[in-house]
Amino acid sequence: AVYYFKEYIKKHGLAANKLLTFGGKDDIETKLIPHEKAVHCDYWIDKNHDVEDLQLEESDFDFCLINQAFEHLTDINISIKNIKDHLSVGGYLSANFPVVNIPHGFPYNFSTGVTTTYINYLCLQNNLEIIECGAWGNTDYINFIFRELTWPDYTQIDLRNNIDTPCIGWILAKKK
């Protein structure tokens, strides 16, 4: 997912004056998107940062980054709506998410994955324009996570993408 993120940041010349992240303070993507100011929300700890009941003092963010979090939310649709409500017109939502995953993060693991089709649908329902989306995966990744019950680093598996075996989905959407 980081590879695709780097590609669409470069392709679309994306940057942010105000960046909003959910659980992404230390994510590599946060370092890759040029930004002036960042608000990092820890949606598991701080009630005001709960993406399903978002009560931030600020809005009008140019860019929101939410990575590997949808499986920890009880209502992804409400979460996308709340994010959209905190974006400026023309602001971007970038997300990556498990399509196939192992249970983790108890007690806050509500699904083991969602499809790119479903996330696209939710974005469109919330009046977000889909700029790019896709998925990466292969059976080597799936076999590893279910055998080892953890996630591999790039040296432990074959990195070739098989479009018939999506494991990690990603989307870039824009508020109209």
Side-chain angles (χ1 to χ4, degrees):
V2 173
Y3 170 80
Y4 296 107
F5 183 82
K6 286 167 87 172
E7 290 298 309
Y8 64 65
I9 292 299
K10 184 171 56 173
K11 178 180 176 182
H12 298 288
L14 298 176
N17 289 322
K18 287 173 64 177
L19 172 67
L20 175 62
T21 71
F22 290 93
K25 181 178 180 182
D26 298 319
D27 287 351
I28 185 126
E29 292 91 343
T30 301
K31 295 170 181 65
L32 292 173
I33 179 106
H35 59 279
E36 299 293 319
K37 177 183 180 184
V39 173
H40 304 290
C41 298
D42 194 336
Y43 57 94
W44 283 3
I45 296 171
D46 185 341
K47 181 180 172 288
N48 292 330
H49 291 173
D50 180 353
V51 71
E52 294 175 325
D53 184 28
L54 202 52
Q55 298 175 29
L56 298 176
E57 293 178 16
E58 298 182 60
S59 60
D60 298 324
F61 289 92
D62 304 300
F63 202 94
C64 176
L65 182 61
I66 183 165
N67 287 338
Q68 300 299 312
F70 288 154
E71 73 273 24
H72 300 290
L73 305 174
T74 57
D75 193 330
I76 299 169
N77 188 42
I78 289 293
S79 301
I80 289 174
K81 178 196 176 304
N82 289 342
I83 289 168
K84 180 204 68 169
D85 290 347
H86 282 78
L87 287 174
S88 60
V89 172
Y92 291 89
L93 164 63
S94 174
N96 69 53
F97 44 89
V99 176
V100 175
N101 208 346
I102 54 175
H104 64 284
F106 294 112
Y108 304 106
N109 182 220
F110 299 107
S111 72
T112 54
V114 294
T115 65
T116 53
T117 304
Y118 183 57
I119 300 302
N120 279 330
Y121 170 79
L122 295 178
C123 286
L124 291 172
Q125 290 298 304
N126 282 288
N127 203 31
L128 294 168
E129 174 188 1
I130 308 303
I131 305 300
E132 293 198 22
C133 70
W136 172 90
N138 61 43
T139 54
D140 200 26
Y141 178 88
I142 292 170
N143 290 335
F144 185 97
I145 65 172
F146 287 104
R147 181 182 64 245
E148 302 296 328
L149 298 178
T150 191
W151 303 275
D153 69 33
Y154 72 94
T155 66
Q156 295 173 297
I157 59 166
D158 180 353
L159 296 177
R160 287 177 284 187
N161 191 15
N162 179 344
I163 60 171
D164 296 327
T165 315
C167 298
I168 305 292
W170 53 270
I171 190 163
L172 177 66
K174 184 176 182 180
K175 182 175 177 179
K176 298 177 188 181

